[in-house]
Amino acid sequence: MTEILGFAAQGRKQPLGPWRFARRALRADDVQIDIKYCGVCHSDLHQIDDDWGIAFYPLVPGHEIIGIVSAVGPKAVRFKVGDRVGVGCMVDSCQACDPCAKGLEQYCESLPVYTYAARDRHDGSPTYGGYSEEIVVTEKFVVRVPETLDLAGAAPLLCAGVTTWSPLRHWKVGPGSRVGVIGLGGLGHMALKLAKALGAEATLFTRSPGKEADARRLGAEQVVLSTDPAQMKAVANRFDLIIDTVPNDHDVNPYLPTLALDGTLVLVGFVGQGKDALSTVPLVFGRRSVAGSIIGGIRETQEMLDFCGKHGIHADIETIRMQDINDAYQRMTKSDVKYRFVIDMASLTA
């Protein structure tokens, strides 16, 4: 066991502060990673506030982890000391069910072991995330970061990137596809970049008229003000896929008529019970679908990183010190970031 420094919440809705805790010793197939950067995801705040009712404390958040391999177990063969690597939202799964066999560990029938606020499958110990000096993970759940990617800008790809990449790939988006994106935040800005790079025509739906210039910079060919009935009517029957990145409850019914025949609206941002009933009229008269998607499997994550490395795609980030995390959370709730905070973990011990 190794005692390390991290930042933790000691209870529900409590601010984060320094906390020392033990990381496990290396198992045979483990990789130990010296953490260089960690992205800040909105789900980190949801977990600290226990909005989903599954958190336990002390809680060390962080699942957009970028670092350098510092040690490997005797049976670990995929990585060596000095490699640039990443860890996303999962650190293990059953590896035996049908989804795991298909490389879709995020849908593990026994539930994946999440990077923090979960229990280790082997010894039941709590998992602690990337707001810390180092992490130990089985090599199957570690991904390689291409040399062409900036380490800080790559961190949000491990959640925001793959969360939007997975539905784009599942619904076979490519040249000629028409993709709508609802919301321009951490997820939305990545959806625009990735859809554009895949050759699709990307459109942003927004409630804020002032976002057009930024949306076009990020890859949108069109911006639709979702509160304007005329603009919404003008894009009726248009989109093969709509990626809904909004992280809170909202009415999806206005967007359904904008789907083309056999089009799908996929929810990737909101987790929970919606208040508005889903109208079946646009569904049955257009064979349209509403679906959900969560993060991505390890194979998908590596594919996404390699694609981003080839196309020079990074997240738009603002780098912060670890000591500024509570202020960053306050700003994040006000959407006062373009588009993802990334913690420079060198500041942890500075």
Side-chain angles (χ1 to χ4, degrees):
M1 304 288 283
T2 302
E3 186 178 86
I4 63 167
L5 178 63
F7 257 51
Q10 297 297 326
R12 183 174 181 269
K13 295 185 180 291
Q14 295 298 305
L16 279 85
W19 183 58
R20 290 198 169 273
F21 64 99
R23 288 286 190 199
R24 70 167 189 260
L26 281 170
R27 295 173 185 148
D29 62 347
D30 276 343
V31 173
Q32 180 176 294
I33 301 165
D34 180 14
I35 300 173
K36 299 300 183 183
Y37 296 96
C38 187
V40 179
C41 180
H42 206 280
S43 60
D44 295 343
L45 186 54
H46 281 305
Q47 285 279 43
I48 290 168
D49 290 348
D50 197 20
D51 290 338
W52 300 328
I54 58 174
F56 53 89
Y57 306 90
L59 188 151
V60 178
H63 59 207
E64 297 178 344
I65 300 166
I66 294 287
I68 305 296
V69 175
S70 55
V72 297
K75 293 185 178 180
V77 297
R78 295 183 56 232
F79 301 98
K80 65 181 186 303
V81 172
D83 283 351
R84 295 156 42 106
V85 295
V87 176
C89 301
M90 304 174 290
V91 292
D92 205 355
S93 71
C94 80
Q95 296 292 294
C97 67
D98 186 56
C100 285
K102 293 177 178 177
L104 298 169
E105 300 91 347
Q106 74 271 36
Y107 302 119
C108 176
E109 292 172 3
S110 300
L111 295 181
V113 178
Y114 297 112
T115 306
Y116 65 88
R119 296 285 180 184
D120 184 270
R121 293 184 64 86
H122 302 279
D123 62 19
S125 61
T127 58
Y128 299 118
Y131 293 11
S132 57
E133 294 177 281
E134 64 181 46
I135 193 168
V136 176
V137 182
T138 177
E139 67 171 353
K140 290 181 180 178
F141 283 77
V142 178
V143 289
R144 191 176 302 277
V145 178
E147 293 291 334
T148 51
L149 288 179
D150 171 73
L151 290 180
L157 301 180
L158 296 165
C159 178
V162 75
T163 296
T164 50
W165 174 262
S166 185
L168 287 168
R169 297 297 285 163
H170 178 74
W171 276 278
K172 297 179 173 56
V173 166
S177 300
R178 291 175 171 176
V179 176
V181 177
I182 305 174
L184 188 59
L187 294 174
H189 95 287
M190 287 307 311
L192 289 176
K193 288 188 178 192
L194 292 170
K196 176 71 172 179
L198 284 166
E201 176 194 281
T203 295
L204 176 70
F205 289 100
T206 180
R207 299 172 61 88
S208 305
K211 292 186 177 180
E212 180 167 357
D214 225 22
R216 292 188 182 279
R217 175 184 65 82
L218 293 164
E221 295 185 30
Q222 186 176 10
V223 178
V224 175
L225 193 62
S226 59
T227 54
D228 185 332
Q231 291 190 34
M232 293 292 281
K233 185 176 181 180
V235 291
N237 305 302
R238 183 169 186 82
F239 300 104
D240 304 299
L241 181 68
I242 296 175
I243 299 179
D244 187 337
T245 73
V246 177
N248 43 49
D249 185 22
H250 59 289
D251 187 5
V252 302
N253 288 299
Y255 302 98
L256 301 182
T258 72
L259 289 168
L261 177 66
D262 292 324
T264 300
L265 183 149
V266 58
L267 297 157
V268 300
F270 175 61
V271 178
Q273 180 68 46
K275 300 186 188 72
D276 293 289
L278 192 65
S279 172
T280 64
V281 174
L283 301 182
V284 299
F285 282 96
R287 203 163 59 189
R288 302 174 175 109
S289 302
V290 175
S293 179
I294 188 170
I295 50 176
I298 301 304
R299 187 164 57 212
E300 287 179 310
T301 304
Q302 189 64 66
E303 177 191 60
M304 177 271 309
L305 285 172
D306 293 342
F307 181 86
C308 288
K310 180 179 179 180
H311 292 272
I313 298 172
H314 299 83
D316 285 21
I317 65 169
E318 179 180 335
T319 307
I320 62 169
R321 300 183 312 141
M322 184 73 258
Q323 293 79 6
D324 296 328
I325 186 61
N326 294 304
D327 290 337
Y329 282 161
Q330 292 299 315
R331 289 180 54 194
M332 185 169 62
T333 61
K334 302 173 184 176
S335 300
D336 181 23
V337 57
K338 290 187 175 180
Y339 282 96
R340 205 72 157 185
F341 288 118
V342 172
I343 306 164
D344 181 349
M345 296 310 301
S347 66
L348 180 62
T349 54

